[in-house]
Amino acid sequence: MSGGQESPCALVIFGATGNLASQKLLPALFHLEQAGRLPDHLSIIAFSRRDWGDAEWRAHLLEVLRDRISEACPESTCEHFLSRFSYVKGEFQDSAAYARLLEALAQPRMGSCSNVVFYLAIKPTEYPAVIRNLDEAGLNEPRGLHRIVVEKPFGEDLESAQVLNQMLHKSFLEE
């Protein structure tokens, strides 16, 4: 897929070493890579609290792929997929981690673009800290180009869903 102006250029996965990411998200992204459905210029940042660098993250990702995909991973496809990734260590509540994330997003990678998707593959109880820190670090700007994806459940009940919805609307455009 050729990447147009509307295509995201960076995907940040919060909770990248967690069960949801390992079981579902990372294998799905790999299958999109295999099918040629990821934009050429898409880079992916794994955000998690493990004390790793890019090399340790990529070794972990390779193990996840070996465990989760049924077919063999063609070497050129695996190498290209792994090269899309970088790793940022951070706790969801640590504002300094969001400064490191901002720095990582500023690094030139596979092209230049300002569209970023923040994917929250984390527990719903952790959403508020991430949303607040993205906002405080200015990572939700420019509004309309940066997007956020939250996994379900969306709150624990109607009241918590409404609070989460208000928080999201404060920091991100619904469109």
Side-chain angles (χ1 to χ4, degrees):
M1 175 173 129
S2 65
Q5 293 272 356
E6 72 284 347
S7 299
C9 297
L11 172 65
V12 178
I13 303 171
F14 285 89
T17 59
N19 193 45
L20 174 63
S22 296
Q23 297 279 331
K24 302 290 184 186
L25 183 58
L26 296 169
L29 287 169
F30 177 76
H31 286 298
L32 289 171
E33 178 78 55
Q34 275 187 307
R37 303 290 308 228
L38 294 180
D40 293 338
H41 56 278
L42 176 69
S43 63
I44 306 170
I45 298 175
F47 186 103
S48 194
R49 55 184 150 233
R50 293 191 186 175
D51 194 16
W52 287 348
D54 291 348
E56 292 89 356
W57 161 255
R58 289 178 181 148
H60 168 75
L61 177 56
L62 195 53
E63 284 301 312
V64 166
L65 294 176
R66 287 184 182 140
D67 289 345
R68 301 286 173 227
I69 60 174
S70 56
E71 67 278 359
C73 181
E75 189 172 333
S76 63
T77 304
C78 275
E79 284 180 17
H80 188 261
F81 186 63
L82 292 173
S83 74
R84 290 181 181 276
F85 283 86
S86 58
Y87 183 83
V88 172
K89 177 192 182 297
E91 296 286 336
F92 303 137
Q93 301 81 11
D94 179 15
S95 59
Y98 295 83
R100 290 191 301 275
L101 177 57
L102 184 61
E103 187 177 299
L105 285 166
Q107 298 298 312
R109 300 254 319 148
M110 297 179 166
S112 61
C113 181
S114 59
N115 295 336
V116 179
V117 173
F118 300 103
Y119 193 105
L120 279 55
I122 57 177
K123 297 175 189 172
T125 56
E126 296 170 325
Y127 293 167
V130 172
I131 295 165
R132 182 182 60 256
N133 278 304
L134 287 171
D135 186 31
E136 289 175 1
L139 284 160
N140 57 339
E141 298 295 334
R143 289 180 59 121
L145 290 179
H146 292 190
R147 297 163 180 91
I148 191 163
V149 177
V150 294
E151 275 292 334
K152 58 186 177 184
F154 193 88
E156 298 171 1
D157 53 25
L158 179 60
E159 183 180 344
S160 64
Q162 289 172 331
V163 168
L164 178 57
N165 196 42
Q166 288 172 348
M167 182 180 287
L168 287 167
H169 278 283
K170 178 182 171 222
S171 300
F172 292 90
L173 296 176
E174 187 167 352
E175 295 78 24

